[in-house]
Amino acid sequence: MMLSNCDESPPSPAFSAPEAPKESVFCLSDCLVGQTVCVNRIETTEVQLQALQFGILPASQFLIQAKLPAGGPLVLRMGPMEVALGRALCDHIFVQPQPERR
């Protein structure tokens, strides 16, 4: 399957979080280091299964710990756990920013 960069395709009802305003939803690849985000939707069954292996589901929250250079993976912190996801996978996971905790 060919993965394209941040396609806006219809969400899968089984893998979507509650609706958010469209302008506040973007692909995981576009996140900034230090940003906390919540998964809004995950495209395609194949990507859903891959994300599930890392414990990523709609409504999951995590911190963008690092973005490795040259198109390398994103490092996400979910509680005490860190995972590295390749950009091809991140391009098909859509998130929305979360307010900073004080």
Side-chain angles (χ1 to χ4, degrees), residues 12-53:
S12 168
F15 275 83
S16 293
E19 280 298 310
K22 189 167 179 99
E23 63 274 359
S24 69
V25 176
F26 45 90
C27 73
L28 185 54
S29 296
D30 293 337
C31 290
L32 303 173
V33 173
Q35 192 171 26
T36 299
V37 295
C38 178
V39 176
N40 177 269
R41 74 176 188 275
I42 302 171
E43 295 183 333
T44 78
T45 302
E46 181 181 343
V47 175
Q48 293 165 2
L49 292 173
Q50 289 175 335
L52 185 59
Q53 292 176 351

Side-chain angles (χ1 to χ4, degrees), residues 9 14 18 21 27 30 32 36 48 55 57 61 63-64 66 69-70 73 80 84 87 91 94 96:
S9 64
C27 73
D30 293 337
L32 303 173
T36 299
Q48 293 165 2
L57 299 165
Q61 274 194 323
L63 171 73
I64 309 303
R87 299 279 172 110
D91 287 346
F94 288 81
Q96 56 196 84

Side-chain angles (χ1 to χ4, degrees), residues 28 50-51 53-56 62-68 71-78 81-90 93:
L28 185 54
Q50 289 175 335
Q53 292 176 351
F54 292 100
I56 297 173
F62 44 83
L63 171 73
I64 309 303
Q65 188 78 23
K67 286 176 91 170
L68 293 152
L74 273 70
V75 179
L76 314 176
R77 176 176 290 280
M78 299 182 293
M81 184 174 72
E82 286 186 356
V83 297
L85 296 181
R87 299 279 172 110
L89 182 60
C90 293
I93 299 173

